[in-house]
Amino acid sequence: ESLLDIARQTLFLHEVAKPEIRFTLEHEGPAPLVSDRRQLGQALTNLVKNAIEAVEAREDGEQGLVAMRIHQGEDGQLLLDIADNGIGLPAERDRIVEPYMTTRSRGTGLGLAIVKKIIEEHFGTMAFADRPGGGTVVTLCFDTATLAPMAGTGAEADEVSPAALTRTKNGLKP
């Protein structure tokens, strides 16, 4: 799947709903990634929704910004940054991906826990940082070399199935 296409679709849906917020997408190319398009789309949607809510929580009147950037990392890593100029990370930043942990009065605390699970199922990692100038940056990092064998068909796909990769990752033998 093209991570770029998934990101574009996610941003487009939010851009239509929130025209008062500026959405940007910076990329270096199509960014192919072996992935479950639906799940990855859900993860990006949850992250963009959180960014929008953080932007809307500000009270200084500055225009909201949600910016995505897709770029290559070291050793074949594919990185996706989602930055916003919202209220920033909460004091409980170390716990924000725990199930049922929320800082919002109407939140369930499941959004980031679901995102974390989806990213881990794609053998990726998720990191949070303060954005210079205020706000938050969420960085998703995918190891394309680990995911590549899952793209094949025929004999090589039988050799390395998603279930086999999961068992190996968890220390169990396939």
Side-chain angles (χ1 to χ4, degrees):
E1 299 288 346
S2 168
L3 184 57
L4 175 58
D5 288 346
I6 298 168
R8 276 188 181 141
Q9 182 178 19
T10 300
L11 284 182
F12 174 75
L13 295 173
H14 287 92
E15 204 169 17
V16 170
K18 301 287 182 178
E20 68 279 7
I21 297 174
R22 187 167 56 107
F23 294 88
T24 65
L25 176 58
E26 180 184 329
H27 59 90
E28 299 170 354
L33 181 69
V34 176
S35 64
D36 180 318
R37 183 181 190 90
R38 186 188 55 78
Q39 283 191 348
L40 209 48
Q42 179 63 54
L44 295 185
T45 296
N46 285 3
L47 291 170
V48 171
K49 182 177 175 283
N50 282 359
I52 289 169
E53 290 173 1
V55 164
E56 291 177 336
R58 292 185 32 199
E59 298 177 358
D60 62 4
E62 184 179 338
Q63 182 183 23
L65 169 68
V66 177
M68 277 193 192
R69 178 175 172 239
I70 301 171
H71 55 106
Q72 295 294 319
E74 298 176 7
D75 300 325
Q77 294 175 330
L78 185 59
L79 304 171
L80 185 143
D81 302 322
I82 301 173
D84 66 66
N85 66 345
I87 58 172
L89 292 166
E92 307 89 359
R93 66 179 59 201
D94 295 338
R95 298 185 52 225
I96 59 177
V97 295
E98 292 178 11
Y100 308 110
M101 167 52 187
T102 185
T103 59
R104 300 187 182 107
S105 59
R106 296 179 356 150
T108 62
L110 292 175
L112 287 177
I114 290 168
V115 171
K116 180 181 181 218
K117 178 74 172 151
I118 291 170
I119 300 307
E120 286 176 347
E121 287 176 352
H122 286 82
F123 302 97
T125 60
M126 178 170 56
F128 299 87
D130 294 317
R131 178 182 168 267
T136 302
V137 178
V138 180
T139 300
L140 306 179
C141 176
F142 300 98
D143 183 350
T144 56
T146 300
L147 292 167
M150 297 172 64
T153 57
E156 73 274 2
D158 292 336
E159 277 180 37
V160 184
S161 69
L165 286 173
T166 302
R167 286 191 301 267
T168 303
K169 181 178 182 240
N170 293 331
L172 302 174
K173 294 185 181 195

